[in-house]
């Protein structure tokens, strides 16, 4: 058994209306065996000879900084007394589910390059529908679709808007720019968009004409599954339109992420797929207080880590200067982000975690700030995130990103220190591979069950 103290309760009491979160069990969610704490065996990484993909990690770190670095602006914009009006069109949605229940499963491709870099799947745009594919990203809120005239290294399939009878382009500029110099420019447009048989007739998106600095990956576009106030396009996100249409079987979506490029990864919209998990789904209420009371992300409070059973509490470094924002006594707010590969916590939290891991030390500077290494041949224990007092373990094989270089005896840890403001932690695929994750819009909660 892991010994967990009740730091989380203090945190929850100060930020949420209910100090003891009520277990949420919508009737549509199958309940199986009761949850049990997982005990992974100690392992060493040499077993699978993984080598750290420094380039992928460097690139992702810069993107995460850009994605969450603008949080101060977003919160300030959103907390103005007159909230900005989201652009709506006369008939913004018209759900036409091919399945009676208003739910659908989108198979995802796991892009593996030493780390599970991203998970993408099919989406279609236009009338008649043209299929492309997108990275499904719970950490952002815009749909980004490259057009067939797209300049730069735009990844196909590109959307030929001239062949769609329902495409409408506005002259509102759309621009995304990351700190690594990559980005995409275009304008906001609307058209019919379908994912997993679920259609929004007039979905706003960034219609992209220019990509630069290596914006694209193996996927063509991006579908943000976050909240409206975080939308760069100032438009309602696809999933929110589905919810407001009233046509979904359940107002939630769920991710299953496989490892190492294996098949079986899936996004279930309006549903949970009980083939993909075991035990109960335990829900954790979202934490809008972390972002000035405005829900931007799927973020939940965490009291910190446990490492092999010892509870760690972290002292926050708060870089956010708006006095209206609650300053936490401990812990952090964890954004569950399907569009991020690794896990980012404050530099103070990372230091505290790695202090507990034998032989760990900050990685050489050329690896990048915030990374830590530990001896590959030393057995490492299990790191867990603690949510509402319950530890959620990360398989050491996911935590261990591989040897620093070919033949190196040092291995790189998959949790890194990055101060993103207001003590946010970004919890990506490395965690979600272990835990089937349900994003529940009615309950405003994220649920986890042990992934199969
Ligand atoms: C396109 O990709 C090539 C090769 O990866 C690279 O050299 C070039 O700079 C890229 N161009 C743009 C506009 O990103
Ligand atoms: C993209 O748009 C931004 C904002 O309008 C602009 O500053 C930038 O120069 C544009 N970049 C390219 C490559 O078109
Ligand atoms: C916050 O305020 C302090 C003191 O006024 C200042 O030193 C610091 O640079 C500010 N931080 C940010 C992120 O603006």
């Amino acid at each position: 058994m892991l010994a967990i103290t009740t730091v989380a309760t203090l945190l929850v009491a100060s930020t949420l209306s209910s100090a003891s979160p009520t277990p949420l069990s919508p009737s549509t969610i199958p309940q199986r065996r009761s949850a049990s704490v997982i005990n992974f065996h100690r392992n060493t990484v040499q077993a699978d000879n993984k080598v750290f993909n420094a380039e992928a990690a460097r690139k992702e770190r810069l993107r995460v900084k850009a994605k969450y670095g603008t949080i101060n602006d977003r919160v300030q914009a959103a907390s103005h007394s007159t909230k900005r009006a989201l652009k709506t069109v006369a008939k913004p949605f018209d759900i036409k589910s091919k399945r009676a229940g208003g739910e659908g499963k989108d198979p995802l491709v796991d892009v593996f390059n030493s780390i599970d870099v991203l998970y993408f799947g099919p989406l279609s745009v236009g009338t008649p529908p043209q299929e492309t594919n997108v990275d499904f990203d719970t950490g952002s809120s815009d749909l980004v679709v490259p057009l067939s005239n797209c300049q730069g290294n735009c990844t196909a399939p590109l959307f030929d808007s001239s062949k769609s009878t329902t495409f409408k382009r506005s002259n509102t500029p759309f621009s995304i720019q990351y700190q690594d110099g990559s980005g995409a420019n275009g304008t906001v447009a609307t058209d019919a968009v379908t994912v997993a048989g679920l259609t929004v007739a007039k979905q706003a998106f960034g219609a992209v004409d220019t990509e630069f600095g290596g914006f694209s990956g193996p996927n063509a576009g991006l579908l943000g599954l976050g909240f409206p106030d975080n939308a760069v396009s100032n438009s309602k996100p696809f999933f929110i339109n589905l919810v407001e249409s009233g046509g979904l079987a359940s107002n939630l979506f769920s991710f299953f992420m496989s490892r190492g490029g294996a098949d079986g990864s899936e996004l279930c919209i309006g549903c949970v797929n009980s083939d993909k998990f075991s035990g109960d789904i335990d829900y954790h209420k979202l934490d809008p207080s972390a972002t000035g009371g405005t829900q931007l992300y799927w973020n939940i409070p965490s009291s910190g880590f446990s490492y092999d059973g010892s509870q760690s509490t972290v002292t926050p470094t708060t870089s956010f200067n708006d006095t209206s924002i609650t300053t936490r006594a401990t812990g952090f707010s964890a954004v569950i982000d399907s569009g991020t590969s690794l896990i980012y916590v404050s530099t103070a939290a990372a230091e505290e975690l790695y202090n507990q891991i034998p032989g760990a030390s900050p990685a050489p500077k050329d690896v990048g700030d915030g990374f830590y290494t530990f001896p590959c041949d030393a057995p490492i224990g299990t790191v867990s995130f603690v949510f509402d007092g319950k530890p959620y373990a990360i398989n050491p094989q996911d935590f261990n990103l591989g040897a620093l270089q070919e033949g190196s005896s040092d291995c790189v840890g998959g949790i890194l220190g990055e101060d993103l403001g207001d003590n946010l932690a970004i919890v990506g695929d490395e965690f979600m591979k272990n835990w089937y994750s349900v994003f529940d819009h009615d309950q405003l909660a994220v649920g986890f069950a042990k992934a199969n």
Side-chain angles (χ1 to χ4, degrees):
M1 269 305 282
L2 301 181
I4 300 301
T5 57
T6 54
V7 189
T9 315
L10 300 174
L11 175 64
V12 170
S14 65
T15 56
L16 295 174
S17 50
S18 68
S20 48
T22 17
L24 310 166
S25 329
S27 56
T28 49
I29 294 176
Q31 303 291 314
R32 307 242 297 230
R33 288 172 283 130
S34 64
S36 60
V37 173
I38 304 173
N39 275 312
F40 289 111
H41 294 295
R42 286 172 174 267
N43 79 324
T44 64
V45 77
Q46 298 304 44
D48 57 5
N49 286 326
K50 242 183 350 185
V51 177
F52 175 57
N53 184 341
E55 179 53 24
R58 184 194 68 85
K59 192 159 183 164
E60 163 158 295
R61 186 165 154 265
L62 290 168
R63 287 198 175 197
V64 165
K65 281 173 79 161
K67 197 165 160 183
Y68 295 98
T70 53
I71 181 169
N72 290 13
D73 305 338
R74 296 280 168 71
V75 170
Q76 273 151 22
S79 58
H80 284 155
S81 53
T82 48
K83 288 213 171 194
R84 60 197 179 133
L86 291 172
K87 285 210 177 81
T88 47
V89 286
K91 195 173 169 235
F93 39 73
D94 172 19
I95 187 166
K96 285 177 287 197
S97 172
K98 286 182 191 153
R99 296 153 212 255
E103 61 182 62
K105 299 186 184 104
D106 216 35
L108 304 180
V109 175
D110 172 11
V111 180
F112 181 71
N113 184 358
S114 290
I115 54 178
D116 293 289
V117 182
L118 66 94
Y119 295 79
F120 71 91
L123 168 147
S124 61
V125 197
T127 309
Q130 295 175 41
E131 189 165 298
T132 179
N133 55 54
V134 291
D135 181 3
F136 290 99
D137 179 16
T138 58
S140 66
S141 302
D142 293 282
L143 172 59
V144 181
V145 178
L147 301 182
S148 51
N149 67 350
C150 184
Q151 302 294 302
N153 290 344
C154 314
T155 304
L158 303 173
F159 171 54
D160 186 349
S161 58
S162 70
K163 294 199 173 125
S164 172
T165 56
T166 43
F167 179 76
K168 286 207 171 54
R169 192 156 201 183
S170 76
N171 44 30
T172 306
F174 178 83
S175 180
I176 295 182
Q177 293 186 71
Y178 296 124
Q179 284 180 5
D180 62 357
S182 69
N185 283 357
T187 63
V188 177
T190 57
D191 208 337
V193 170
T194 302
V195 180
L198 303 166
T199 299
V200 173
K202 287 180 185 166
Q203 175 61 47
F205 59 97
V208 167
D209 307 296
T210 315
E211 291 184 8
F212 41 95
F215 176 80
S216 278
N219 54 304
L222 185 68
L223 179 64
L225 293 164
F227 287 84
D229 275 318
N230 198 32
V232 173
S233 62
N234 213 11
S235 307
K236 281 192 187 168
F238 175 77
F239 176 71
I240 301 298
N241 279 333
L242 287 181
V243 167
E244 292 186 0
S245 74
L248 286 176
S250 305
N251 291 327
L252 48 75
F253 59 88
S254 316
F255 275 93
F256 175 78
M257 293 179 175
S258 64
R259 287 196 178 84
D263 290 344
S265 298
E266 177 187 275
L267 169 64
C268 208
I269 302 181
C271 47
V272 297
N273 183 349
S274 57
D275 292 344
K276 302 288 187 185
F277 64 91
S278 313
D280 292 334
I281 301 171
D282 282 331
Y283 286 88
H284 306 285
K285 282 280 197 186
L286 299 186
D287 179 21
S289 69
T291 47
T294 303
Q295 197 72 62
L296 301 176
Y297 312 116
W298 292 91
N299 54 310
I300 55 178
S302 170
S303 58
F305 307 106
S306 72
Y307 178 70
D308 260 12
S310 63
Q311 168 82 13
S312 160
T313 58
V314 293
T315 315
T317 51
T318 301
S319 58
F320 199 90
N321 275 351
D322 185 330
T323 50
S324 69
I325 304 300
T326 314
T327 304
R328 292 168 188 293
T330 185
F332 41 72
S333 189
V335 181
I336 310 304
D337 183 359
S338 63
T340 289
S341 316
L342 305 178
I343 296 172
Y344 299 75
V345 299
S346 69
T347 50
E351 189 179 348
E352 181 151 352
L353 172 67
Y354 285 99
N355 277 342
Q356 298 181 66
I357 299 180
S361 60
K365 281 286 169 225
D366 58 338
V367 175
D369 289 336
F371 283 99
Y372 283 76
T373 62
F374 51 86
C376 298
D377 58 3
I380 56 163
T382 301
V383 179
S384 304
F385 273 88
V386 181
F387 297 121
D388 292 325
K390 184 179 154 71
Y392 289 91
I394 300 166
N395 187 325
Q397 297 210 322
D398 298 324
F399 173 71
N400 194 329
L401 300 182
L404 196 49
Q405 286 118 25
E406 195 84 49
S408 169
S409 59
D410 287 326
C411 280
V412 181
I415 296 180
L416 55 145
E418 181 69 67
D419 293 316
L420 293 163
D422 203 43
N423 207 25
L424 286 184
I426 313 305
V427 177
D429 307 339
E430 179 185 337
F431 177 88
M432 291 175 70
K433 282 183 275 182
N434 296 273
W435 298 96
Y436 188 80
S437 304
V438 183
F439 296 79
D440 187 328
H441 190 270
D442 284 349
Q443 315 279 8
L444 291 174
V446 180
F448 301 119
K450 187 182 173 299
N452 286 344

